[in-house]
Amino acid sequence: MADRFVTVSLEKRGVHCTARLLADRAPLTCAAVWDALPLAGDVYHAKYARNEIYALFPPFASTEPPRENPTVTPIPGDLCYFSFAGTELGTGAYGYDREVRPGAAVVDLALFYERNNLLLNGDVGWVPGIVWGQVVEGLDEMAGACQDLWRTGAAGETLSFRRA
């Protein structure tokens, strides 16, 4: 099968990067994401994992992907997939500006843009993510935009994932 690529963008900032899907390592996750594209949502900058931006989506896979190609130490350019129950994210400590209801599932698609990430949350412990893509072009520019997002704020910014 030919390689598949996605474009990851910060829409307001006009910055994007290109990632290759890791279909050989996470085939079910890659298929679920690919079939759901395009996806876009409010961007958040991580509080706990360090150098991560992400958007939250309603579940889009017919069956939740198993934990394939997991990590708790993502590297720069990793795209990760997480699934959470609303009760895991439904507190004010996470800073969401909308209600995340208990019982509702939430999918988190994330981009890690720099080193020294550790998926350890003080509330719940280790939070393994599924690595489903790796940035192959444009990471430096995207990392600069992510750092700007951290310093100046994420309000009004959209993170999008589209087929390249």
Side-chain angles (χ1 to χ4, degrees):
M1 178 184 290
D3 284 341
R4 291 182 175 177
F5 297 87
V6 295
T7 300
V8 182
S9 303
L10 287 170
E11 300 292 337
K12 185 175 166 185
R13 285 169 171 78
V15 177
H16 69 273
C17 59
T18 303
R20 182 178 64 83
L21 272 65
L22 301 177
D24 58 329
R25 296 181 183 175
L28 299 174
T29 306
C30 288
V33 173
W34 185 260
D35 290 346
L37 296 176
L39 293 165
D42 292 340
V43 69
Y44 297 94
H45 195 288
K47 284 179 150 182
Y48 302 104
R50 288 192 70 163
N51 302 299
E52 171 195 6
I53 62 168
Y54 62 95
L56 300 174
F57 304 98
F60 48 76
S62 58
T63 302
E64 186 63 26
R67 193 175 289 159
E68 49 187 7
N69 200 32
T71 190
V72 292
T73 56
I75 62 173
D78 276 352
L79 297 181
C80 288
Y81 176 106
F82 304 89
S83 181
F84 299 102
T87 54
E88 293 177 284
L89 301 180
T91 70
Y94 294 98
Y96 300 118
D97 57 359
R98 67 179 205 258
E99 181 183 0
V100 182
R101 294 182 325 280
V106 178
V107 171
D108 169 333
L109 294 183
L111 164 68
F112 290 85
Y113 64 88
E114 185 50 81
R115 297 170 36 110
N116 299 322
N117 303 294
L118 185 61
L119 301 179
L120 179 60
N121 180 307
D123 295 335
V124 298
W126 296 106
V127 184
I130 299 169
V131 183
W132 59 275
Q134 178 64 48
V135 174
V136 295
E137 182 180 317
L139 183 59
D140 288 343
E141 186 178 7
M142 181 61 86
C146 293
Q147 191 63 31
D148 178 65
L149 189 137
W150 171 252
R151 294 186 53 175
T152 64
E157 182 61 89
T158 300
L159 178 62
S160 70
F161 299 85
R162 291 182 167 70
R163 294 178 183 186

